[in-house]
Amino acid sequence: METITTTTDLTFEQDIDEGLTAPLKNISSKYFYDDLGSVIFQDIMKMPEYYPTPCEFEILSLQGENIIKKLNFDEPFNIIEFGAGDGIKTRQLLKKLLENQVDFTYVPIDISQKAIEELEANMLGYLPGLKIKSIVGNYFSMIDELSEMQQPGLFLFLGSNIGNYLEEEANDLLGQFNNHMKSGDKLLIGFDLQKNPSVIRDAYDDSQGITKAFNMNLLQRINKELGGNFKKEFFDFYSHYNPLNGEVRSYLVSLKQQEVSISKIGKTYSFRQNELIWTELSKKYTIAEIENLAINNGFELVEHFLDCKHYFTDSLWTK
Ligand code: AVI
């Protein structure tokens, strides 16, 4: 086992300042995942309303053999996972590969050191024979390093993480993946599909308030890391699914006219009563949109692997 740590681009303060001075205030969802946020996200994935996790678990558990058959690698390869999280779903696929005596090295990448340490421990506990080389860092800073790998690569971008990117950003990210992949490399990418709007709405506004806590943690994180004086009781959470464009957009709502200071930035920000802070986009795709995304970024679709309810797809693309 080997872990590489990379420096992240230190722009938290700049991003927060930019976001809180924009006409529509915003805080990027990439800041959800500090150590506490990563724990809350684990709780989200266990919620009865949050269907993406069990759907993708089902795909990787029941269709692993079919996915392996489509890889077509005839030499040892790397499985590089972006935003690996707890790896519970991925290990279903890795287990199948090990059972089939396939020779590969698992290379998980995650922004959270704690998440990576736990992932390694869990993976090796469950799959003792696994070759694992972990990386702590963000996707973009890692892409150049990865392109130097000689062996073929299966890139995993699971959990519908792509849904958290605006269209332009999603194209930019997939284009960068493609630029750094070799001909024949594969990308297995998770997309949450459009479905009954009520199912989606409930997944992003749960009755226990776990998603609310996930969003509120952004304010806590600013208080802790940047010396902010946000008071959680003066903010609420609001989430909206628009079935016409497949977008869930989540917000924090200022419950009154208020001023918040952030000492590390040396500024005070004013919030109107009911003013929104946009925190997250979670885009739900149609199959046609997914296929366009693949083609527009230099990939060819190999196959869509769907769960039995057709809520979710892990789509296999090749360069
Ligand atoms: C990580 N990402 C794919 C999750 C999603 O569904 O957009 C994050 C999340 N936000 C609220 N619940 C889950």
Side-chain angles (χ1 to χ4, degrees):
M1 180 191 2
E2 186 189 330
T3 305
I4 301 170
T5 305
T6 66
T7 49
T8 50
D9 39 355
L10 302 163
T11 57
F12 187 36
E13 307 168 35
Q14 287 159 9
D15 274 356
I16 296 304
D17 182 45
E18 215 171 276
L20 295 184
T21 48
L24 168 59
K25 289 188 171 66
N26 61 85
I27 303 175
S28 166
S29 60
K30 73 179 177 202
Y31 293 118
F32 280 145
Y33 304 95
D34 64 350
D35 288 344
L36 177 60
S38 299
V39 170
I40 303 175
F41 185 55
Q42 300 298 317
D43 292 338
I44 287 180
M45 290 194 290
K46 289 180 205 136
M47 300 181 334
E49 297 95 333
Y50 194 71
Y51 60 82
T53 306
C55 290
E56 194 172 43
F57 185 88
E58 180 206 305
I59 295 167
L60 296 174
S61 304
L62 301 183
Q63 302 190 63
E65 303 265 1
N66 296 339
I67 296 171
I68 295 167
K69 272 188 212 141
K70 296 283 175 183
L71 293 180
N72 255 338
F73 292 144
D74 47 17
E75 56 179 308
F77 59 95
N78 293 308
I79 299 187
I80 303 117
E81 178 161 27
F82 293 105
D86 66 6
I88 289 175
K89 292 169 292 175
T90 310
R91 76 186 186 195
Q92 299 305 308
L93 181 66
L94 302 184
K95 185 171 163 236
K96 276 273 151 21
L97 287 160
L98 291 174
E99 279 167 10
N100 285 272
Q101 267 123 42
V102 177
D103 188 357
F104 68 95
T105 302
Y106 176 53
V107 185
I109 304 174
D110 202 286
I111 196 84
S112 161
Q113 169 90 40
K114 193 166 168 242
I116 277 286
E117 282 167 7
E118 284 174 12
L119 171 73
E120 274 186 3
N122 289 343
M123 280 289 186
L124 291 169
Y126 188 78
L127 303 170
L130 184 69
K131 285 192 269 181
I132 180 164
K133 184 175 164 185
S134 303
I135 299 178
V136 178
N138 69 26
Y139 311 151
F140 292 105
S141 64
M142 287 320 303
I143 284 179
D144 282 326
E145 197 163 321
L146 293 173
S147 62
E148 281 154 28
M149 290 183 173
Q150 299 303 319
Q151 293 177 322
L154 165 63
F155 292 77
L156 303 181
F157 196 49
L158 303 176
S160 75
N161 287 335
I162 193 72
N164 298 132
Y165 290 77
L166 289 164
E167 188 180 350
E168 197 186 311
E169 295 169 343
N171 279 302
D172 187 49
L173 179 67
L174 294 170
Q176 290 203 53
F177 284 175
N178 187 279
N179 283 340
H180 292 86
M181 286 168 69
K182 300 175 286 299
S183 172
D185 280 355
K186 304 282 185 299
L187 174 62
L188 186 67
I189 175 165
F191 289 95
D192 195 9
L193 296 169
Q194 293 184 15
K195 60 187 68 63
N196 183 327
S198 314
V199 172
I200 297 175
R201 185 195 54 205
D202 292 352
Y204 289 86
D205 197 1
D206 63 283
S207 51
Q208 292 179 76
I210 298 174
T211 312
K212 177 176 175 174
F214 189 50
N215 279 259
M216 287 292 186
N217 180 51
L218 287 170
L219 304 185
Q220 217 159 294
R221 183 170 179 186
I222 295 172
N223 286 353
K224 199 170 67 187
E225 293 180 31
L226 303 181
N229 65 351
F230 278 102
K231 296 214 166 40
K232 273 171 44 177
E233 60 275 24
F234 297 149
F235 286 87
D236 201 356
F237 167 69
Y238 176 74
S239 165
H240 173 253
Y241 175 57
N242 178 355
L244 300 178
N245 63 8
E247 290 185 356
V248 176
R249 288 192 179 234
S250 300
Y251 305 90
L252 290 164
V253 186
S254 174
L255 291 176
K256 59 173 201 169
Q257 157 71 42
Q258 57 183 314
E259 314 277 311
V260 175
S261 303
I262 303 181
S263 65
K264 211 160 170 196
I265 303 178
K267 275 195 183 176
T268 297
Y269 303 88
S270 295
F271 295 83
R272 296 184 309 276
Q273 184 171 28
N274 299 325
E275 186 169 357
L276 303 173
I277 309 174
W278 177 35
T279 55
E280 187 176 45
L281 166 71
S282 293
K283 159 87 178 151
K284 310 303 164 195
Y285 281 86
T286 62
I287 291 288
E289 284 174 327
I290 295 169
E291 292 178 358
N292 280 333
L293 209 54
I295 292 161
N296 291 344
N297 289 292
F299 293 97
E300 214 176 282
L301 173 75
V302 178
E303 195 165 325
H304 295 294
F305 297 94
L306 276 75
D307 65 297
C308 63
K309 286 196 276 204
H310 290 194
Y311 277 7
F312 200 94
T313 175
D314 278 330
S315 294
L316 186 66
W317 299 355
T318 187
K319 172 162 174 172

